[in-house]
Amino acid sequence: MKLFVATFLLVLVLSSSLLQPTMAGSDFCDSKCAVRCSKAGLKDRCLKYCRICCAECNCVPSGTYGNKDECPCYRDKKNSKGNPKCP
């Protein structure tokens, strides 16, 4: 029983330390996407796709439109129809 409790606590500590960088990245994406989508007509949709692209590419172009050359991964993502995925 003691071994089970010790193992459980060890897993809990390790998993919490692994989640920390993900949460920090999320804050980065949230702030960058908020700026990127601030003038979007469909803000919820813009934020959704911007966050997906940011999580995969680790960057978001500056400004509210254009500047996609700053982040080639973000620029080159396509949806199933071949159109740009990232706002």
Side-chain angles (χ1 to χ4, degrees):
M1 183 67 174
K2 289 182 181 181
L3 180 61
F4 174 75
V5 172
T7 304
F8 178 75
L9 290 175
L10 181 61
V11 169
L12 185 64
V13 168
L14 289 175
S15 65
S16 67
S17 66
L18 291 175
L19 290 176
Q20 198 66 9
T22 305
M23 293 173 72
S26 175
D27 290 342
F28 169 79
C29 289
D30 287 347
S31 64
K32 294 289 187 180
C33 288
V35 171
R36 183 81 179 166
C37 296
S38 64
K39 294 184 179 180
L42 299 171
K43 195 172 286 197
D44 290 342
R45 186 178 294 173
C46 181
L47 287 170
K48 174 185 174 183
Y49 289 107
C50 182
R51 287 176 182 142
I52 290 170
C53 294
C54 178
E56 293 175 9
C57 297
N58 296 318
C59 63
V60 175
S62 62
T64 57
Y65 184 79
N67 303 325
K68 288 188 176 181
D69 289 334
E70 295 175 1
C71 185
C73 171
Y74 191 97
R75 175 194 65 212
D76 297 338
K77 288 218 168 286
K78 304 289 183 198
N79 64 17
S80 60
K81 296 179 181 177
N83 296 325
K85 180 176 186 173
C86 306

